[in-house]
Amino acid sequence: VLASLLIVLIIFSLLRKKRALLPKPSISQSPNTPISNIDTIQAAHQRLANAGRLLKEGNPRIFYDELFKALQAWLSARYGVQPVQMNDKDVNAMLLQRGATPIRIQALLSVLHTCEQSVYGGQVHADQMEHTWQTAMQVIAALEREVR
């Protein structure tokens, strides 16, 4: 019994030393970490384009999910807002500080709310898909022109 306990302790200590010697992956080594901010903005625009294709397919749940993720990706890439910080208060304050007009901010938040209601609340707005899409594109274009 004592010998088996000694063997387990030796194996445990060897594994622990081996783990300590292994290089720890840095954030930049992660395959999901974008190479640059330009790449993340391009990825966000690709998601927006994909949402446009999904609009034509007519599946509201998938469309709103993709549009919601695209807007989150765009906010994150363009303004450094993490999804955890994407509540009305923080997005409003950040965009106001950067010079966005309250009407544009409200329009963006309205699109985000519509997407959230459709994806998480089960309130599918199939009749509003085109309007939501157009509003999202107009708000993004205006914010990219106006906001630093």
Side-chain angles (χ1 to χ4, degrees), residues 55-56 63-64 125-136:
L55 171 67
K56 294 174 185 163
F63 164 74
Y64 283 114
H125 304 284
D127 57 330
Q128 295 179 4
M129 287 171 54
E130 181 68 35
H131 174 72
T132 304
W133 169 251
Q134 291 297 326
T135 303

Side-chain angles (χ1 to χ4, degrees), residues 93-108:
M94 182 271 306
L95 288 173
L96 277 174
Q97 180 183 11
R98 293 177 180 247
T101 62
I103 280 192
R104 300 243 193 270
I105 296 169
Q106 186 55 43
L108 175 65

Side-chain angles (χ1 to χ4, degrees), residues 17-145:
K17 285 181 184 179
K18 185 178 179 182
R19 181 179 286 162
L21 294 175
L22 291 175
K24 294 180 181 168
S26 68
I27 293 175
S28 63
Q29 292 175 337
S30 171
N32 295 329
T33 302
I35 295 171
S36 71
N37 196 34
I38 292 172
D39 291 338
T40 56
I41 291 172
Q42 287 175 345
H45 282 283
Q46 287 175 348
R47 286 200 94 133
L48 287 166
N50 188 43
R53 284 189 293 278
L54 291 169
L55 171 67
K56 294 174 185 163
E57 291 178 14
N59 187 332
R61 183 154 173 84
I62 295 172
F63 164 74
Y64 283 114
D65 186 46
E66 186 66 15
L67 182 58
F68 185 68
K69 289 176 183 175
L71 290 171
Q72 284 185 324
W74 180 77
L75 281 167
S76 181
R78 186 80 163 98
Y79 303 111
V81 179
Q82 297 304 313
V84 173
Q85 300 168 316
M86 288 185 196
N87 59 57
D88 290 0
K89 180 182 172 188
D90 290 344
V91 170
N92 189 31
M94 182 271 306
L95 288 173
L96 277 174
Q97 180 183 11
R98 293 177 180 247
T101 62
I103 280 192
R104 300 243 193 270
I105 296 169
Q106 186 55 43
L108 175 65
L109 293 175
S110 175
V111 170
L112 287 169
H113 290 165
T114 300
C115 293
E116 283 180 325
Q117 289 172 354
S118 294
V119 173
Y120 302 113
Q123 299 176 11
V124 178
H125 304 284
D127 57 330
Q128 295 179 4
M129 287 171 54
E130 181 68 35
H131 174 72
T132 304
W133 169 251
Q134 291 297 326
T135 303
M137 294 298 94
Q138 290 168 359
V139 168
I140 287 172
L143 287 173
E144 286 191 349
R145 280 191 316 269

